Amino acid sequence: MRALDQLDWDDLKVFVHAARGGSLAGAAKRLRVDQSTVSRRLAHLEAALGVSLFERVPSGLRLSEAGQRLLRHAERVESAIIAMEEEVTPGSGQAGGRVRLATMEGIASLYLAERFVRLHETHPDLTVELLTSPQTVYVNRREADLFLSFFEPPGQGLVSERIGRFRLGLYASPGYLDRAGTPRSIQELERHAFVTYVEDLVQVDCVRWLDEIIANRRTVFHSTSMIAQKQAAAGGLGIVLLPSFAVAGRDLLVPVMHDDLSTTRDLWLNVHTDLQFSPRIRAVSAFLKALFRSDPSLQVGLRLSQPVSVSRPAISSRDWRENAKAV
């Protein structure tokens, strides 16, 4: 009997998740089964193929040479199944279903979340899962459907598009500046207190942005959360470097030396090649592009294929319905 006749496609799905997660526990959590089920299915797959697919190491699972070869084929099978599901599921061709969008905590909580009502008005059958992560999310490993990043991530099977650019500047509370004085030069700035990330817990180098502004500084507060940094600065603890999207007019923060000191980051929208033409993915992608193009503060120095209205930072529900016709 050929190995293919004994192959269970559910075993192959378990194998893919175990290979990506590097552990039985990781695969079990993603598949919502217990570890014994994952172990049993992997053993069944190895028996059917007559090869060992993993090496058991202290950290979990490591692919053998045979496992690495199988993974390439298994991912192609996975891609075909996803494409089949997108095309034959009832209602395919319409923007509906669930989309998992991953991005950094700051832009997710301080900018995107309150604006998703516009997407819902245009596509009421869409459900968005907004995943915040301090590290790179790999859409080519199916960790999310879309990844909005501050850098162009590496990897194959990935379509990346730069859709925006924002400026970062220094901010402080009026109370802090009344107490410590308003700095007018780098020399004066070095005598001030700063709020920033926890250095040894930074997982993506692009958020080490304060180093580009001032290297010699006195830091009095660290946090892995941009929101916590912002609140600490608003409370008068020190000066913080924040993206333009993180500071609204109602915030108790004022700019510090913005004419002299600033830096920028790009916004990249990343999707797996298998999903780029899916109606639900296209709907969310179009929403994000329209949102950023309507906000000049997220198009700093970019040359756009579509004009930007600098007189209107927000976009109306009617405009969203017009933009949705292209999806």
Side-chain angles (χ1 to χ4, degrees):
M1 182 179 292
R2 296 180 305 163
L4 184 62
D5 296 328
Q6 303 179 55
L7 193 62
D8 187 324
W9 296 114
D10 284 338
D11 294 346
L12 204 59
K13 180 172 67 174
V14 170
F15 163 74
V16 169
H17 284 289
R20 288 174 179 158
S23 69
L24 297 176
K29 183 176 181 181
R30 186 69 183 269
L31 293 165
R32 297 181 181 179
V33 298
D34 54 52
Q35 291 190 44
S36 62
T37 299
V38 173
S39 180
R40 185 176 64 255
R41 286 196 170 275
L42 291 179
H44 184 269
L45 181 61
E46 289 178 325
L49 297 174
V51 294
S52 177
L53 299 172
F54 292 100
E55 299 173 15
R56 270 63 177 177
V57 295
S59 59
L61 300 173
R62 183 169 60 201
L63 283 170
S64 65
E65 289 186 12
Q68 293 173 14
R69 292 194 296 270
L70 177 63
L71 182 61
R72 291 193 292 270
H73 293 289
E75 287 184 329
R76 286 197 289 270
V77 171
E78 180 188 48
S79 295
I81 291 173
I82 290 173
M84 178 184 66
E85 183 181 34
E86 293 285 346
E87 290 181 14
V88 306
T89 299
S92 61
Q94 301 177 9
R98 193 176 303 272
V99 176
R100 176 169 290 184
L101 169 65
T103 190
M104 302 289 287
E105 174 223 27
I107 195 167
S109 301
L110 297 174
Y111 188 83
L112 288 177
E114 65 180 288
R115 291 169 168 83
F116 271 113
V117 63
R118 303 166 186 173
L119 177 65
H120 180 71
E121 290 172 352
T122 306
H123 299 291
D125 294 329
L126 267 179
T127 300
V128 173
E129 294 180 346
L130 187 57
L131 172 67
T132 61
S133 175
Q135 59 191 15
T136 302
V137 175
Y138 295 94
V139 295
N140 52 351
R141 298 179 189 171
R142 315 291 181 183
E143 293 177 353
D145 297 316
L146 289 165
F147 179 37
L148 179 65
S149 59
F150 298 165
F151 57 94
E152 184 177 10
Q156 297 180 340
L158 191 65
V159 178
S160 298
E161 180 182 0
R162 185 173 60 187
I163 62 172
R165 179 182 295 153
F166 59 89
R167 177 172 282 116
L168 299 103
L170 295 172
Y171 294 88
S173 71
Y176 171 82
L177 296 176
D178 288 344
R179 185 176 73 251
T182 300
R184 307 293 183 186
S185 66
I186 289 289
Q187 290 72 28
E188 290 182 16
L189 202 60
E190 290 176 349
R191 295 194 290 270
H192 281 262
F194 282 86
V195 170
T196 189
Y197 284 98
V198 181
E199 180 65 26
D200 60 320
L201 295 181
V202 171
Q203 300 189 51
V204 287
D205 288 336
C206 69
V207 301
R208 300 183 190 275
W209 38 50
L210 187 57
D211 294 341
E212 299 174 20
I213 299 296
I214 178 168
N216 299 318
R217 60 181 184 266
R218 178 171 60 92
T219 303
V220 299
F221 180 82
H222 298 264
S223 176
T224 57
S225 166
M226 179 188 293
I227 296 174
Q229 293 175 44
K230 176 183 174 181
Q231 293 302 103
L237 196 53
I239 299 174
V240 65
L241 183 67
L242 291 173
S244 56
F245 62 73
V247 183
R250 61 183 178 274
D251 290 320
L252 298 178
L253 290 169
V254 296
V256 174
M257 296 181 64
H258 274 207
D259 292 337
D260 303 307
L261 295 173
S262 67
T263 189
T264 61
R265 288 293 184 273
D266 290 335
L267 285 162
W268 290 86
L269 187 60
N270 311 280
V271 62
H272 196 289
T273 52
D274 296 338
L275 294 176
Q276 60 180 316
F277 301 117
S278 165
R280 61 190 176 90
I281 300 301
R282 290 179 61 203
V284 177
S285 297
F287 162 76
L288 293 172
K289 292 175 187 179
L291 177 64
F292 295 161
R293 284 171 177 159
S294 72
D295 189 338
S297 71
L298 294 178
Q299 297 293 328
V300 176
L302 289 182
R303 309 187 81 179
L304 302 179
S305 57
Q306 298 180 19
V308 174
S309 172
V310 297
S311 63
R312 186 182 56 188
I315 190 167
S316 68
S317 298
R318 179 181 177 183
D319 292 327
W320 286 115
R321 287 191 288 271
E322 290 299 317
N323 286 330
K325 294 178 181 178
V327 179

